[in-house]
């Protein structure tokens, strides 16, 4: 797939999942209008949609139809959006800017932001449950584990505990495998499980791809926090250093962090070998994820 074709495919997938997400708010007689507005702000205003794109690419690689992938793609983005709303709160990262817009607690208020995050989280599982897929229990379990105490939330707790500390590279990798990597792995696994059952050897290959990709993505994010600017990133640059948060550039230096991210991408690409040509779009996305500038 050439670069232009791949960019067009990414844009089409983003448009598709955006339509699915917007549809969740169409023609609703909401009882809590301010809550609905805050949910829309946290979910529909901007976003790269990388996690739902991973659902589509992994599912297609194993033969799933786009229509079957819409629900898991929307569900994983709902979980991601809720996590950002809560991460931005004053008790957490205390951010004022997200995706180039005021964070939800700044645009509305802190209590509304908490409730909006809660509602986005539960809506994710409602969307999946309404899809009635034959492997629905496996899809629900994958997302629940990735989002909870053994995944993203657990990683956020480790992140908060590490502020001001001096973890080594291994401890930092463990934290990010939970905080960022778990949801990326879930997106890929959910796409795969939409097409085949968990015993298919290609699912194991995609799990290995996802593990390497998730860590490479976080390392690149750490690098961008140092090298990017606020306008390009859509959030305050240099925030990690300002909060004394441990990062890969702080431990390895910028060149060392970049080198480690590229090593992980090579591991991810090697893991795709069992998929043959069907894995090429996933390979393209892996390269894109560490070459992006925001």
């Amino acid at each position: 797939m050439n670069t232009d074709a791949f960019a067009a495919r990414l844009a089409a997938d983003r448009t598709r999942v955006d339509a699915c997400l917007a549809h969740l708010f169409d023609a609703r007689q909401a009882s809590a209008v301010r809550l609905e507005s805050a949910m829309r702000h946290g979910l529909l205003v901007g976003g790269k949609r990388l996690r739902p794109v991973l659902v589509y690419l992994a599912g297609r690689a194993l033969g799933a139809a786009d229509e079957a992938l819409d629900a898991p793609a929307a569900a994983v983005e709902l979980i991601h959006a809720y996590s950002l709303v809560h991460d931005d709160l004053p008790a957490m990262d205390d951010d004022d800017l997200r995706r180039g817009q005021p964070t939800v607690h700044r645009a509305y208020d802190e209590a509304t932001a908490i409730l909006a995050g809660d509602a986005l989280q539960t809506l994710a599982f409602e969307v999946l449950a309404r899809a009635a897929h034959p492997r629905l229990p496996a899809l629900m379990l994958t997302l629940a584990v990735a989002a909870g105490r053994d995944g993203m939330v657990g990683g956020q707790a480790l992140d908060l505990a590490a502020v001001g500390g001096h973890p080594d590279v291994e401890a930092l990798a463990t934290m990010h495998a939970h905080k960022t990597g778990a949801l990326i792995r879930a997106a890929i696994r959910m796409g795969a499980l939409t097409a085949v059952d968990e015993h298919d050897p290609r699912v194991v290959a995609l799990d290995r791809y996802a593990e390497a990709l998730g860590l490479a993505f976080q390392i690149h994010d750490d690098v961008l926090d140092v090298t990017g600017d606020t306008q390009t990133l859509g959030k305050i640059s240099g925030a990690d250093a300002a909060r004394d948060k441990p990062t890969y550039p702080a431990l390895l230096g910028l060149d060392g962090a970049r080198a480690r991210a590229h090593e992980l991408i090579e591991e991810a690409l090697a893991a795709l070998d069992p998929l043959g040509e069907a894995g090429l779009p996933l390979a393209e996305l892996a390269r894109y994820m560490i070459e992006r500038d925001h």
Side-chain angles (χ1 to χ4, degrees), residues 42-113:
L43 179 66
L44 302 179
V45 178
K48 296 180 288 292
R49 309 302 192 213
L50 287 175
R51 290 153 190 82
V53 166
L54 284 166
V55 173
Y56 286 121
L57 295 186
R60 285 192 202 110
L62 301 191
D66 285 359
E67 292 76 13
L69 295 165
D70 287 338
V76 77
E77 186 65 13
L78 283 159
I79 291 292
H80 178 55
Y82 122 73
S83 75
L84 298 182
V85 173
H86 280 191
D87 282 359
D88 290 338
L89 289 167
M92 302 282 275
D93 288 345
D94 196 14
D95 278 318
D96 296 333
L97 197 65
R98 172 70 68 179
R99 297 168 171 171
Q101 301 292 328
T103 50
V104 176
H105 70 277
R106 293 299 183 198
Y108 294 84
D109 57 74
E110 190 173 344
T112 300

Side-chain angles (χ1 to χ4, degrees), residues 37-257:
S37 179
M39 291 170 66
R40 291 176 65 97
H41 184 88
L43 179 66
L44 302 179
V45 178
K48 296 180 288 292
R49 309 302 192 213
L50 287 175
R51 290 153 190 82
V53 166
L54 284 166
V55 173
Y56 286 121
L57 295 186
R60 285 192 202 110
L62 301 191
D66 285 359
E67 292 76 13
L69 295 165
D70 287 338
V76 77
E77 186 65 13
L78 283 159
I79 291 292
H80 178 55
Y82 122 73
S83 75
L84 298 182
V85 173
H86 280 191
D87 282 359
D88 290 338
L89 289 167
M92 302 282 275
D93 288 345
D94 196 14
D95 278 318
D96 296 333
L97 197 65
R98 172 70 68 179
R99 297 168 171 171
Q101 301 292 328
T103 50
V104 176
H105 70 277
R106 293 299 183 198
Y108 294 84
D109 57 74
E110 190 173 344
T112 300
I114 292 170
L115 293 174
D118 292 344
L120 290 169
Q121 179 192 44
T122 54
L123 184 55
F125 293 99
E126 179 184 339
V127 166
L128 269 185
R130 291 184 185 278
H133 189 274
R135 281 181 291 280
L136 180 60
L139 292 169
M140 297 277 274
L141 181 62
T142 297
L143 188 58
V145 171
R149 61 183 180 178
D150 292 325
M152 184 183 68
V153 173
Q156 181 65 29
L158 293 173
D159 188 27
L160 291 172
V163 173
H166 303 283
D168 58 20
V169 172
E170 184 177 349
L172 193 58
T174 297
M175 179 186 78
H176 287 311
H178 289 76
K179 182 182 178 183
T180 304
L183 202 57
I184 287 175
R185 294 195 305 273
I188 293 166
R189 187 172 180 83
M190 289 168 72
L193 291 176
T194 304
V196 299
D197 68 39
E198 62 186 335
H199 302 296
D200 189 300
R202 293 172 297 176
V203 176
V204 177
L206 284 172
D207 281 342
R208 291 198 299 269
Y209 165 84
E211 183 175 1
L213 184 71
L215 186 53
F217 176 80
Q218 182 58 55
I219 293 173
H220 188 60
D221 251 20
D222 283 359
V223 169
L224 288 178
D225 190 68
V226 176
T227 63
D229 61 84
T230 297
Q231 183 174 358
T232 302
L233 295 175
K235 58 184 179 180
I236 305 299
S237 63
D240 290 341
R243 299 189 191 101
D244 199 17
K245 296 179 72 171
T247 65
Y248 282 92
L251 291 177
L252 302 177
L254 276 173
D255 288 343

